[in-house]
Amino acid sequence: MTYPAIRLVIGSEANNVNLVGVTIRALCFAAEISPEDAARIELGIVEALNNIILHGGSSAPITVSWNRTPSGISIEIEDSGEPLAHWPPRNAFPEPFEESGRGWPLIAACFDSVDYRVEASKNTLILVKAQGISLPRT
């Protein structure tokens, strides 16, 4: 079975984040990814988009690309906001009473691979989920 790549372009506004999350979850279900993995993927995407919108400082559109591969999925999020100050970010969860700092550890926990690059004033976050995902038998 072949899955087409799907690209979503949204405004850099918080009210678009849940719409993308629900869309990504629906794509997971259409690709026969387990409900548990679909929920993890949705959570990771929502956290990543919230970080971009809250900390990126750009009002330019954000592009989310979904790619189903034989071994899993790859999601790329592109924006033109401020690049990350350092990579990789902290992946350890903060102390229980800290008010922030949970986004990156949650993203890292939701995906098998998280990568980031900056090229020509464009930030690209690459999120890959492969473990536990397999193509349905045809």
Side-chain angles (χ1 to χ4, degrees):
M1 180 175 272
T2 304
Y3 296 94
I6 295 172
R7 179 170 284 168
L8 306 169
V9 180
I10 63 165
S12 184
E13 297 149 3
N15 62 339
N16 290 325
V17 172
N18 285 336
L19 177 62
V20 173
V22 169
T23 302
I24 292 295
R25 185 186 283 230
L27 289 169
C28 288
F29 290 151
E32 299 182 19
I33 294 171
S34 74
E36 294 83 11
D37 282 329
R40 284 184 192 95
I41 292 165
E42 178 185 13
L43 174 61
I45 295 299
V46 166
E47 285 295 329
L49 288 171
N50 280 329
N51 277 350
I52 290 167
I53 291 169
L54 290 173
H55 306 295
S58 175
S59 60
I62 299 169
T63 302
V64 180
S65 300
W66 155 277
N67 296 290
R68 182 72 159 100
T69 68
S71 61
I73 63 159
S74 172
I75 299 170
E76 293 188 10
I77 303 174
E78 298 176 352
D79 73 280
S80 58
E82 289 294 318
L84 290 173
H86 37 82
W87 181 260
R90 179 176 80 171
N91 282 336
F93 281 96
E95 293 299 319
F97 296 108
E98 287 186 41
E99 292 186 19
S100 64
R102 288 171 183 75
W104 281 112
L106 279 173
I107 294 166
C110 292
F111 294 96
D112 301 317
S113 170
V114 178
D115 200 10
Y116 174 74
R117 67 178 179 258
V118 179
E119 297 172 350
S121 300
K122 180 175 68 172
N123 305 303
T124 305
L125 182 64
I126 302 107
L127 307 167
V128 176
K129 179 70 175 152
Q131 294 179 0
I133 295 179
S134 60
L135 284 173
R137 299 189 192 277
T138 56

